[in-house]
Amino acid sequence: MTERRTRPRLNLCRHEDRLLRYRQMNRSYTDETVLVTGLRDGDEAAYEYLVREHGGRLLSVIRRILRNEDESADALQDTFIAAFKNIDRFEGAAKLTTWLHQIAVNAALMKLRKKRNIHERSVEDLLPQFLDDGHRADVGPTWTLTADQVAEQAELTGVVHEQIAALPDQYREVIVLRDIEQVSTDEAAQVLNITPGALKVRLHRARQALRKLLEPHMAGEKSA
Amino acid sequence: MIKKCKKCIEFLADYLEGELPEDQAAEFEMHLNLCPPCREYLNSYRETIKLTRKCMCDHPEHEDDCKSPPQMPESLVQAIIKACKSKDE
Ligand SMILES: [Zn+2]
């Protein structure tokens, strides 16, 4: 631990130096607690390790959403800036990779929202409506397409991205954690700093709203 | 006894998680048997969950990507480190 503090400042200009140092730090930073401590201390070597170790994977995730190199690079930068800014809030509830991944997905979706000028939708308006007798008032078309069929079509995949991006932040975040990252209820609740009960309520509402947004595209007819 | 669709939909997430007590799960299923709209709702709710997972990221269906992630251009690595440093100061 003390060795980390006396390490000389990185000289980013010299390639061999950088590689050598990167290999040295690889040894200690493979231990996640050492890495997180380094990040919290503002250790530049820890920053660099994190970027090199996770950047490629995160970039591929972001590219799938944005499909544009420059915007993806921007979103990746946003991801790491957010990660370093919030590292004190990382409590080890989720794995570091999961935590980074959800920041990246959210950053990409925020950028997509801006780029496509997607308007945030009110979740209240998208929840199912009921008649006085308890039956649903808004029964829509039957979903004939399956998730597998949709995932194979770039156009429809894009629609799914856009609809998730249209959810208000707090609903989008819960979908990203639970349904994309698949972290447990307790872990997700800890990451978002809410109770597991509140998380479940929010998730259910988020899924219902998203279901409603996707409905027009799932009846199997060509989307207009 | 779950008679109404509203109640049925409320229980949906817990049912899918397997968190409903046995007697409530049985009631839930009984309602589903009698109510095509709720069956369709359950199906579309489940597909929604699957869709987000499949369309959004590189796992679990694209695990190869995870195992050998693409290289980041060195210029991007440097740009990010620089940006993070300047935010820090
Ligand atoms: Zn019903």
Side-chain angles (χ1 to χ4, degrees):
Chain A
M1 289 291 227
T2 46
E3 177 230 7
R4 180 169 38 77
R5 287 174 211 283
T6 54
R7 185 181 291 127
R9 283 176 74 84
L10 279 178
N11 179 353
L12 297 177
C13 306
R14 289 195 50 204
H15 189 63
E16 302 91 86
D17 239 30
R18 200 176 53 226
L19 270 181
L20 185 69
R21 260 166 236 220
Y22 178 62
R23 287 197 186 114
Q24 283 170 349
M25 55 184 150
N26 247 329
R27 277 205 295 267
S28 52
Y29 289 143
T30 46
D31 180 342
E32 200 172 287
T33 37
V34 175
L35 177 61
V36 171
T37 308
L39 294 170
R40 286 197 177 135
D41 289 352
D43 187 339
E44 282 175 30
Y47 279 31
E48 182 170 352
Y49 179 85
L50 193 76
V51 173
R52 289 187 186 282
E53 197 63 24
H54 297 277
R57 198 179 63 90
L58 297 176
L59 185 60
S60 79
V61 174
I62 291 170
R63 271 189 193 136
R64 279 170 68 92
I65 297 169
L66 289 170
R67 293 179 220 176
N68 172 297
E69 279 309 305
D70 288 347
E71 288 163 0
S72 298
D74 276 357
L76 184 65
Q77 190 165 308
D78 293 347
T79 300
F80 281 110
I81 289 172
F84 294 139
K85 211 175 97 192
N86 294 305
I87 189 68
D88 284 333
R89 283 168 49 197
F90 174 74
E91 290 173 28
K95 275 167 58 186
L96 190 63
T97 45
T98 307
W99 185 73
L100 282 172
H101 197 273
Q102 56 99 18
I103 296 176
V105 172
N106 279 308
L109 288 170
M110 296 284 269
K111 208 155 233 20
L112 185 73
R113 187 196 274 186
K114 219 179 261 172
K115 162 185 167 180
R116 302 262 168 86
N117 204 12
I118 298 167
H119 294 290
E120 185 176 307
R121 299 291 302 262
S122 153
V123 165
E124 293 297 329
D125 296 345
L126 298 167
L127 296 177
Q129 307 291 314
F130 296 94
L131 302 166
D132 287 341
D133 67 2
H135 287 96
R136 239 170 86 216
D138 62 337
V139 178
T142 302
W143 288 32
T144 54
L145 290 175
T146 65
D148 289 313
Q149 289 168 325
V150 170
E152 279 164 16
Q153 299 178 50
E155 195 188 320
L156 282 173
T157 306
V159 168
V160 176
H161 294 163
E162 284 175 16
Q163 302 307 340
I164 297 174
L167 293 173
D169 294 353
Q170 56 170 343
Y171 292 97
R172 188 192 64 238
E173 284 165 6
V174 77
I175 291 248
V176 170
L177 278 167
R178 285 288 284 120
D179 289 343
I180 296 169
E181 302 300 335
Q182 295 179 256
V183 307
S184 71
T185 299
D186 287 350
E187 283 172 334
Q190 237 178 307
V191 171
L192 296 178
N193 206 15
I194 55 177
T195 65
L199 184 117
K200 280 173 149 188
V201 172
R202 199 183 285 178
L203 176 65
H204 188 42
R205 289 160 65 94
R207 285 168 171 172
Q208 287 179 297
L210 184 59
R211 192 209 72 87
K212 184 76 177 171
L213 288 171
L214 293 174
E215 191 167 66
H217 306 279
M218 297 299 291
E221 293 136 352
K222 276 256 171 236
S223 51
Chain B
M1 173 78 194
I2 301 172
K3 287 199 184 110
K4 302 193 167 162
C5 304
K6 190 173 178 180
K7 204 85 203 149
C8 180
I9 288 174
E10 240 169 64
F11 286 146
L12 203 52
D14 286 342
Y15 173 75
L16 289 177
E17 290 284 327
E19 285 176 0
L20 274 190
E22 217 170 295
D23 53 333
Q24 274 185 18
E27 282 181 25
F28 181 92
E29 281 163 4
M30 206 189 295
H31 178 94
L32 281 188
N33 277 332
L34 300 169
C35 183
C38 278
R39 273 207 301 279
E40 285 196 3
Y41 198 90
L42 172 72
N43 173 54
S44 57
Y45 186 96
R46 208 188 261 146
E47 289 299 311
T48 299
I49 298 169
K50 266 208 230 164
L51 265 175
T52 46
R53 200 166 294 160
K54 278 185 181 283
C55 294
M56 190 48 81
C57 65
D58 59 356
H59 70 106
E61 281 77 21
H62 302 266
E63 271 172 357
D64 287 352
D65 251 16
C66 290
K67 278 175 202 145
S68 53
Q71 280 286 314
M72 268 204 298
E74 185 59 29
S75 58
L76 181 56
V77 174
Q78 297 306 331
I80 289 172
I81 292 169
K82 213 172 136 191
C84 291
K85 261 164 73 177
S86 65
K87 289 276 170 187
D88 215 30
E89 276 150 17

